[in-house]
Amino acid sequence: MNILIKLLPIILLLTIFYLFFTDLYPKYQEILASVQKLNELKNKEKEISSTEELIKSLENNELIKVFSEKRELLDVWLPQEPKREELLIYLGTLYNAFSLPSQLPAIADGPEKRFYQEILPIKTLTFNLNFPTLNNYELFVGNLEKNVRLMRVKKMNLNPKGVDLVVETYYLQKQ
Amino acid sequence: MPSWRENLPLGLFLPFILIIIFEFVVSYGFDYYKQNLSFKINNLETQLKTREEGLSSKLSQTDSYFIFSQVINIVEILKSKKSPVDVVNRFTPLVPNFVQVQNVSVDMDNNEISLDGSVPNLLSYLRVLNYFRNHQKLELKNQPSPNIANNQVNFQMVFSLKPAFFE
């Protein structure tokens, strides 16, 4: 009995640590994770609310009505579909205009881009082009950049063998 | 024989016992709070799922939102468009005359330009390096070691374009 009494403080201390590490601390971690999840859901709620308000405010917006009348032009600048065939036809025409043999580049899907959380993201298409000389390449690139369908030359490599371009274009799909 | 109760130093054990009781109380409190949180999370998830579905169907039917997105995206694309030809035309006069340019690469996404060139000797290379290191419009990001071949020093340098570059 005396030995038990002497060992009791150690047993009680061990019990305290055992309860802390096997019960209290894991429960605390779970609570932290739940609080984090709740905060994420509250942020999502704010986003949804702000998009709902935006849609409501746009429904009677005069400027949107004006743009609505120019819908066809908007669809040319930023189409609702990839329109890869039309893109290839345009590139073929461009090469013919510069008396170059036509190239049919592979048009690959690029990453989605989202400028703001409240608007729909755009999808990108990228393709590589080669212009075989350093003469008139500025005109060629200028033509690409001024095309009615929005395009951007992302990368350009100039060397004595010619010019290599990586071009990006866009479309906006209705979701 | 003295009772074991009389031998038990309560003053020594009481704090431990109180701590253990406190831990049980806290554990119970945690369970209650966790249950509360789970209930709130489940409720909110269900609400948000319904609202999201409603919003999705509204978005697909609402033309005004699509047009709005189209216009804003067009504006942002136009704002971010910078011509690589303009970059090359601004860069070319900055390269010293004694450098023979072999390749120029422009990366508009990373706002970088890369120059592959050659100079007649190492001293000229050091002059070029020093010149670009202190440049107002270009920041030298990377310069692998040059190599000497055919009595020329061939090098590559990668620059970041500073805001002053476009002024």
Side-chain angles (χ1 to χ4, degrees), chain A residues 23 30 118 145 152 157, chain B residues 27 34 63 65 81 105 109:
Chain A
D23 188 45
E30 283 169 28
E118 292 84 2
E145 289 175 333
R152 187 176 76 100
N157 188 30
Chain B
S27 178
K34 228 173 60 172
D63 247 4
Y65 179 71
K81 264 177 87 163
S105 271
D109 281 344

Side-chain angles (χ1 to χ4, degrees), chain A:
Chain A
M1 187 53 74
N2 275 336
I3 296 168
L4 188 63
I5 289 169
K6 282 176 185 167
L7 286 176
L8 207 47
I10 297 168
I11 293 168
L12 289 175
L13 198 60
L14 286 173
T15 309
I16 287 168
F17 279 113
Y18 176 77
L19 284 173
F20 180 81
F21 285 109
T22 62
D23 188 45
L24 290 188
Y25 188 69
K27 282 182 184 172
Y28 174 70
Q29 293 289 319
E30 283 169 28
I31 286 172
L32 281 183
S34 297
V35 167
Q36 197 178 5
K37 189 168 183 189
L38 187 63
N39 285 336
E40 282 169 12
L41 288 172
K42 283 182 179 171
N43 285 337
K44 197 175 178 184
E45 191 184 24
K46 280 183 194 166
E47 278 172 25
I48 291 174
S49 296
S50 111
T51 308
E52 282 170 350
E53 275 171 33
L54 177 65
I55 292 172
K56 218 173 177 180
S57 71
L58 290 173
E59 270 161 14
N60 294 315
N61 187 294
E62 289 303 320
L63 203 55
I64 297 296
K65 286 179 185 167
V66 168
F67 282 122
S68 209
E69 288 158 20
K70 312 271 181 206
R71 193 62 194 275
E72 280 172 17
L73 187 58
L74 292 177
D75 285 345
V76 170
W77 284 342
L78 186 59
Q80 293 185 40
E81 287 158 6
K83 295 193 176 176
R84 289 165 205 262
E85 297 79 15
E86 287 181 23
L87 190 52
L88 288 171
I89 291 168
Y90 161 72
L91 291 172
T93 313
L94 185 64
Y95 270 86
N96 277 341
F98 283 84
S99 307
L100 297 168
S102 276
Q103 288 186 18
L104 287 176
I107 301 173
D109 291 313
E112 215 175 61
K113 275 190 183 180
R114 190 165 210 146
F115 290 109
Y116 301 104
Q117 200 55 41
E118 292 84 2
I119 61 170
L120 294 169
I122 48 172
K123 295 193 197 292
T124 60
L125 298 171
T126 55
F127 50 94
N128 297 344
L129 295 178
N130 169 261
F131 190 78
T133 70
L134 287 176
N135 299 327
N136 290 333
Y137 86 89
E138 291 185 22
L139 210 55
F140 184 86
V141 173
N143 262 284
L144 275 175
E145 289 175 333
K146 286 173 191 163
N147 184 32
V148 183
R149 179 172 179 173
L150 291 175
M151 285 187 192
R152 187 176 76 100
V153 176
K154 284 188 356 159
K155 290 183 185 178
M156 186 168 80
N157 188 30
L158 289 162
N159 57 62
K161 290 178 188 170
V163 183
D164 297 310
L165 305 167
V166 177
V167 186
E168 185 179 70
T169 188
Y170 316 93
Y171 64 101
L172 178 66
Q173 258 182 344
K174 213 167 189 178
Q175 289 175 355

Side-chain angles (χ1 to χ4, degrees), chain B residues 96-107:
Chain B
N97 290 334
F98 56 89
V99 172
Q100 202 177 351
V101 174
Q102 282 150 8
N103 192 76
V104 173
S105 271
V106 181
D107 184 344

Side-chain angles (χ1 to χ4, degrees), chain B residues 41-66:
Chain B
I41 286 170
N42 287 336
N43 264 358
L44 197 50
E45 270 178 338
T46 313
Q47 269 178 36
L48 290 181
K49 194 178 173 191
T50 313
R51 277 173 80 177
E52 258 183 331
E53 281 165 9
L55 192 62
S56 254
S57 96
K58 212 170 182 182
L59 284 176
S60 62
Q61 289 159 16
T62 312
D63 247 4
S64 53
Y65 179 71
F66 183 81

